[in-house]
Amino acid sequence: MVTDANIRKSGVTHHLEEILAQAGIICTVYDKTTPNPTTDLVEAAREVYLLENCQAIIGFGGGSSIDCAKAVGARIARPRKSLAKMKGILRVMRNLPLLIAIPTTAGTGSETTLAAVITDSHTRHKYPINDFPLIPAYAVLDPEVTRGLPPFVTATTGLDALTHAVEAYIGNSTTEDTRHDALTAVKLIFGNLKRAYDNGNDMEARRNMLQAAYFAGSAFTKSYVGYVHAIAHSLGGRYNTPHGLANAVLLPHVLRAYGKTAWKKLHILGMAAGVSTPHDTHQAGAEKFIRAIEGLMEQMQIPRTIRGIRGRDIPMLAKYAAKEANPLYPVPKLMTAKQLEKFYWMIKEAHK
Ligand SMILES: NC(=O)c1ccc[n+]([C@@H]2O[C@H](COP(=O)([O-])OP(=O)(O)OC[C@H]3O[C@@H](n4cnc5c(N)ncnc54)[C@H](O)[C@@H]3O)[C@@H](O)[C@H]2O)c1
Ligand SMILES: [Fe+2]
């Protein structure tokens, strides 16, 4: 079982550990995962797997634990190939050991996606590995394990799920199914995220948020994400910025920058969210949707800037983001690394 110390301490893994013991299944726990999991952590967990002769992997936690579990599986399947060599798409190409995901945040959708996002311990470059064998064989959506998720993490991870749905929907590579999943996710998030934030014990809202994160994951695993994610990954790698927070702060800026190429789709998303009407022009409907996202962020006290971004890092981070997105992400409008730099300046907290 791959998890993190916080989650283990909170007791949510206890029940499963007990059931496994009763069934005579030996479960070794690796609980040293951290947010933005690194290549070194994956190697440490892999050593435990080999030492204990494990035969299956359970990722129990947020996206960080599930991604760490996936990356361990990839390294078991590919003992001679480094994670760096698996970066990008279709570079694992071997079956992993049985992989089960139990998300404790309603955010990443990693329990259904083909991605694992890993940070290089030495360069701090954060990159996605995308391949079909990384899709877990089973996903367990149990709202009980998200009950204790603190309000701020509930908010930011929920905004990560929203970003998946929006980026998948407005991209140029959608299908009827991914559009449907994205719209369902947006509807559920606007109906339930604030409720889960206000009252973590609202199990209906928690259940709906887990569903939303899953649908959003299903949408983006086939239709990809966009510049919000590419930029957020560069910040998570360099500064350890929490993934959902980075996405949330960037989302309104990037959506506005897409301009009229995205208006029609954002208008439709606005109607799914219940904030735009069919009578709006596409431009007005899109703007209402973006404002509704900003309103939701404000109600949940998500800041508008990110601490710690250094001006001198920006050209390199923008290069990472441009490279991650082009040609992989079917964004509505292509931007160069130079053009992406402005987003870092927009969200950079001014020095006090
Ligand atoms: N594989 C994918 O498809 C995919 C998609 C999006 C993001 N990601 C990646 O996932 C990572 C982010 O995952 P995340 O947003 O779920 O956060 P996380 O796993 O990093 O967890 C955030 C914090 O919340 C705590 N936490 C988690 N569940 C809890 C619970 N039930 N109760 C109390 N505390 C809890 C954790 O201990 C941690 O401190 C990033 O590295 C991101 O790049 C992956
Ligand atoms: Fe994400």
Side-chain angles (χ1 to χ4, degrees):
M1 179 188 294
V2 180
T3 185
D4 73 32
N6 238 342
I7 290 163
R8 184 99 190 278
K9 243 186 275 148
S10 79
V12 292
T13 63
H14 190 73
H15 186 50
L16 178 59
E17 288 179 54
E18 239 174 41
I19 290 174
L20 290 173
Q22 279 163 13
I25 298 171
I26 301 168
C27 175
T28 306
V29 181
Y30 176 83
D31 66 359
K32 297 191 176 57
T33 313
T34 56
N36 301 306
T38 62
T39 45
D40 283 354
L41 284 177
V42 174
E43 292 310 318
R46 171 177 169 258
E47 269 166 37
V48 174
Y49 183 100
L50 293 172
L51 201 70
E52 301 290 334
N53 269 320
C54 297
Q55 294 173 337
I57 308 173
I58 303 172
F60 199 141
S64 298
S65 297
I66 298 175
D67 283 4
C68 187
K70 288 176 165 184
V72 172
R75 288 283 292 124
I76 296 297
R78 285 291 209 162
R80 277 190 282 278
K81 196 168 186 180
S82 69
L83 290 170
K85 291 253 160 65
M86 294 188 232
K87 176 167 79 176
I89 186 160
L90 301 179
R91 296 226 168 105
V92 180
M93 303 284 268
R94 292 268 161 81
N95 284 337
L96 269 54
L98 174 66
L99 178 66
I100 299 166
I102 309 175
T104 64
T105 60
T108 70
S110 182
E111 68 277 8
T112 182
T113 73
L114 82 181
V117 195
I118 300 297
T119 299
D120 186 298
S121 300
H122 305 289
T123 63
R124 296 299 305 175
H125 176 37
K126 184 174 178 181
Y127 54 83
I129 299 169
N130 303 288
D131 203 346
F132 295 102
L134 296 181
I135 301 174
Y138 298 95
V140 181
L141 305 185
D142 177 2
E144 270 308 320
V145 301
T146 66
R147 192 190 279 274
L149 194 65
F152 188 71
V153 190
T154 300
T156 51
T157 51
L159 263 284
D160 180 28
L162 181 68
T163 308
H164 296 153
V166 173
E167 293 208 291
Y169 191 85
I170 65 174
N172 289 326
S173 179
T174 63
T175 67
E176 205 177 320
D177 279 350
T178 63
R179 288 192 294 275
H180 177 264
D181 286 349
L183 287 169
T184 308
V186 167
K187 230 177 264 173
L188 284 170
I189 292 166
F190 271 84
N192 295 278
L193 178 54
K194 180 66 172 31
R195 268 174 65 188
Y197 171 84
D198 286 337
N199 175 11
N201 293 314
D202 181 338
M203 283 297 111
E204 192 187 55
R206 290 288 199 194
R207 183 184 303 277
N208 287 337
M209 278 308 298
L210 271 178
Q211 290 283 345
Y214 184 88
F215 280 124
S218 301
F220 95 78
T221 200
K222 294 183 205 128
S223 290
Y224 295 93
V225 281
Y227 282 125
V228 179
H229 267 80
I231 299 170
H233 288 157
S234 71
L235 295 168
R238 187 79 184 97
Y239 308 115
N240 240 344
T241 315
H243 177 70
L245 174 65
N247 279 328
V249 175
L250 285 159
L251 185 61
H253 294 297
V254 175
L255 294 184
R256 283 206 179 90
Y258 284 139
K260 65 171 171 235
T261 47
W263 286 345
K264 183 172 172 193
K265 288 178 175 168
L266 290 172
H267 181 194
I268 297 170
L269 289 171
M271 289 191 279
V275 298
S276 313
T277 72
H279 306 295
D280 293 325
T281 61
H282 290 327
Q283 181 177 10
E287 185 53 32
K288 279 187 184 170
F289 181 55
I290 298 171
R291 290 217 181 129
I293 296 171
E294 291 171 326
L296 191 59
M297 285 171 60
E298 203 175 307
Q299 287 170 26
M300 300 191 296
Q301 296 178 20
I302 298 179
R304 304 299 300 265
T305 54
I306 289 186
R307 224 176 269 168
I309 300 177
R310 283 186 297 260
R312 65 171 184 274
D313 293 341
I314 289 176
M316 183 193 66
L317 297 178
K319 258 184 220 145
Y320 280 159
K323 199 153 180 237
E324 178 179 326
N326 187 4
L328 194 57
Y329 299 160
V331 290
K333 185 165 122 186
L334 270 180
M335 296 181 221
T336 61
K338 194 83 205 141
Q339 288 168 323
L340 294 183
E341 286 183 17
K342 69 169 177 286
F343 296 113
Y344 295 84
W345 290 105
M346 283 173 174
I347 63 165
K348 180 180 179 310
E349 191 183 79
H351 284 297
K352 300 232 165 71

